[in-house]
Amino acid sequence: MSPREIAYHAAVAGLQMIAVVDHNAGLNAPASARAAAARGLAVLTGVEVTTVEELHVLALFDDPLATVEFGRQATARLASVPVSRLTEVDQPVVNEEGEIETLVPVWLGAATDWPLTELCEAICAAGGLCVPSHVDRPAMSVLSQLGRMPELPFDAVEVSDRYDCARDPAGLRGRWAMIRTSDAHHPEEIGRGWTELPLATGRVEDCRAAFAELRARQLADPTAGLPPRVGL
């Protein structure tokens, strides 16, 4: 999942814009942005933060340096567990060619001490998009950890392809735009999920407006902007 591999597979999949995140860190954002630009892709970079409740939230930015800074804040809120205590862990910071420049010594797979409410406030204050990840999954999601969707300033909510948007068991429709992504952890998974948005640019404010428009469209058609459900 080097920046160059991500950009290549995204272009092959026919995507026009991508979002690239690391767990609880943002140091690969500049290289990811450069690699995407080289392929003619618009890009958001960000941090997938694990909150103290052990659920995942995306903090997305159009400035990779803002991602780096927000990632530093997230990493600082982790317990200082050295990677050397764990096995088979690889946490490289790479350039756009995939060459390793350094390794992150603190284990990034743990939960931060950031409560969900405070994290949302911090993302908004930093000018980012706040999107809870895979909210319908049985683990590491808002619904699995809290049992409900709280009224928080999410810009959109990510659902899996198994979520029935028409039946909408979690009551998401009309509250936030429902989006799908590939949530790819391997190159060949890139493009397996997507959301269609009318975007003039890849800027955060343009994305926020497009999410608001999608939310309104989904009141009439809950599957608007989303690919067909698969694997059912």
Side-chain angles (χ1 to χ4, degrees):
M1 290 295 280
S2 72
R4 183 172 62 178
E5 284 295 300
I6 291 171
Y8 168 76
H9 284 274
V12 168
L15 302 179
Q16 295 175 298
M17 181 175 181
I18 60 174
V20 184
V21 302
D22 275 330
H23 283 284
N24 296 322
L27 294 173
N28 285 306
S32 297
R34 290 192 295 269
R39 287 279 178 182
L41 298 167
V43 62
L44 295 174
T45 57
V47 183
E48 186 164 24
V49 180
T50 307
T51 70
V52 71
E53 300 92 350
E54 296 191 329
L55 57 89
H56 290 169
V57 178
L58 302 173
L60 301 173
F61 302 91
D62 50 36
D63 179 359
L65 295 183
T67 297
V68 172
E69 175 54 32
F70 201 85
R72 286 198 183 104
Q73 295 178 49
T75 303
R77 301 189 71 139
L78 290 167
S80 296
V81 178
V83 170
S84 59
R85 294 186 184 178
L86 306 170
T87 60
E88 299 181 3
V89 171
D90 184 14
Q91 297 184 159
V93 178
V94 301
N95 59 28
E96 53 265 47
E97 299 301 320
E99 299 166 333
I100 295 175
E101 296 186 339
T102 187
L103 297 171
V104 178
V106 176
W107 170 232
L108 298 174
T112 68
D113 66 358
W114 231 331
L116 175 60
T117 51
E118 292 183 15
L119 173 62
C120 291
E121 292 172 359
I123 295 172
C124 292
L129 295 167
C130 181
V131 181
S133 309
H134 42 68
V135 297
D136 58 310
R137 286 193 181 171
M140 296 295 185
S141 72
V142 174
L143 289 173
S144 73
Q145 302 308 101
L146 303 183
R148 63 183 181 87
M149 292 296 298
E151 288 294 339
L152 290 171
F154 304 138
D155 291 288
V157 295
E158 182 197 20
V159 298
S160 75
D161 62 0
R162 292 183 175 272
Y163 188 74
D164 188 340
C165 295
R167 192 169 64 87
D168 191 24
L172 308 175
R173 187 176 173 187
R175 297 169 69 188
W176 307 282
M178 295 178 284
I179 67 170
R180 289 190 188 138
T181 74
S182 63
D183 191 22
H185 288 67
H186 302 280
E188 63 273 14
E189 297 170 349
I190 294 172
R192 65 182 178 181
W194 68 90
T195 303
E196 294 181 358
L197 295 170
L199 290 170
T201 72
R203 303 291 294 179
V204 161
E205 287 307 314
D206 196 15
C207 293
R208 185 171 286 121
F211 286 148
E213 179 182 332
L214 180 61
R215 180 186 64 191
R217 288 172 56 206
Q218 288 175 343
L219 282 172
D221 176 5
T223 63
L226 303 178
R229 296 167 67 204
V230 297
L232 301 180

